[in-house]
Amino acid sequence: QVLLQESGPGLVKPSETLSLTCTVSGGSISSSYWSWIRQPPGKGLEWIGYIYYSGSTNYNLSLQSRVTISVDTSKNQFSLKVNSVTAADTAVYYCARYDSSGFYAFDIWDQGTMVTVSS
Amino acid sequence: DNQMTQSPSSLSASVGDRVTITCRASQSISTYLNWYQLKPGKAPKLLIYAASSLQRGVPSRFSGSGSGTDFTLTISSLQPEDFATYYCQQSYSTPPYTFGQGTKLEIK
């Protein structure tokens, strides 16, 4: 059973960089697409981007200039960086697996991490 | 981007009720439509994929239908654990993979 576990700070100062890591256990990261999704307080879900284990990425155009997603296959981890954060980046951040082999859906999620941008 | 519009945004219902949530895409997405259940502090759960396929382990009281631009999620007989927020999401063609704005299902 594949499980995802996030790690990273819950508080980031404005203008700094938000960094989160998602560790994949119970399976290999060397398949599927791995995504980041966020939910600001009181709002809906927003897809941030994905990475394939090979390193190819695709980002939401609304965030593309500030976002980097990377993968470390040796550690079975993928990571998110968001630069120059503002209060608008305050959200619950989820990592998720996007199954492209049949479901074409986010079939596995972690429980999310609340990240607050505040001084 | 393909915009997804859910209705209603909130819904009050009782245990045992039949509930339907609708999702409309701004462009045709064939059957590339998924439904998720979100509860605070828990991992979101995939309920329905490809518009009408029930994810393994999801109770059969959940069902989905539709194609093209109009889709529905139906819960045939609400159980206490079903009170949550539900989102549709399209995965047609290239990203971004857009979500609906959510439907909060509350106890009447």
Side-chain angles (χ1 to χ4, degrees):
Chain A
Q1 179 188 3
V2 175
L3 295 175
L4 304 178
Q5 178 68 50
E6 268 183 77
S7 58
L11 181 64
V12 182
K13 290 182 167 55
S15 80
E16 296 191 345
T17 298
L18 179 160
S19 296
L20 295 170
T21 295
C22 187
T23 300
V24 180
S25 61
S28 174
I29 201 169
S30 297
S31 64
S32 298
Y33 291 80
W34 304 93
S35 271
W36 291 95
I37 295 160
R38 70 181 185 179
Q39 183 176 28
K43 296 187 178 181
L45 296 166
E46 178 182 36
W47 175 77
I48 298 171
Y50 71 57
I51 190 164
Y52 195 51
Y53 75 95
S54 62
S56 64
T57 55
N58 196 310
Y59 301 127
N60 192 322
L61 289 178
S62 67
L63 294 165
Q64 183 171 322
S65 63
R66 297 192 296 125
V67 167
T68 302
I69 299 176
S70 58
V71 65
D72 186 338
T73 55
S74 67
K75 295 181 178 178
N76 242 28
Q77 294 176 336
F78 62 105
S79 298
L80 170 71
K81 291 188 185 298
V82 182
N83 300 323
S84 306
V85 298
T86 69
D89 294 307
T90 293
V92 176
Y93 285 76
Y94 297 98
C95 56
R97 184 178 78 173
Y98 180 75
D99 182 279
S100 61
S101 63
F103 295 157
Y104 297 99
F106 300 102
D107 66 332
I108 299 172
W109 301 60
D110 82 312
Q111 63 185 31
T113 294
M114 180 69 204
V115 178
T116 301
V117 178
S118 175
S119 56
Chain B
D1 297 355
N2 206 332
Q3 302 302 316
M4 308 301 294
T5 304
Q6 272 182 249
S7 61
S9 56
S10 64
L11 177 59
S12 294
S14 301
V15 173
D17 284 354
R18 179 183 180 90
V19 166
T20 297
I21 299 168
T22 65
C23 181
R24 174 165 289 176
S26 60
Q27 305 167 43
S28 177
I29 57 171
S30 184
T31 56
Y32 289 90
L33 191 284
N34 309 306
W35 291 98
Y36 302 88
Q37 178 190 66
L38 269 71
K39 294 182 179 180
K42 291 197 168 185
K45 184 178 181 181
L46 173 65
L47 301 174
I48 302 285
Y49 63 95
S52 61
S53 296
L54 194 65
Q55 171 68 327
R56 186 172 57 246
V58 174
S60 59
R61 62 181 180 272
F62 290 91
S63 63
S65 65
S67 66
T69 60
D70 294 310
F71 302 87
T72 60
L73 172 70
T74 299
I75 309 172
S76 60
S77 178
L78 274 173
Q79 298 302 300
E81 60 268 29
D82 299 337
F83 292 95
T85 303
Y86 294 85
Y87 288 88
C88 62
Q89 174 257 324
Q90 66 83 19
S91 53
Y92 182 75
S93 189
T94 55
Y97 300 122
T98 45
F99 292 86
Q101 75 272 32
T103 296
K104 187 172 185 178
L105 180 52
E106 299 174 306
I107 300 175
K108 185 183 286 184

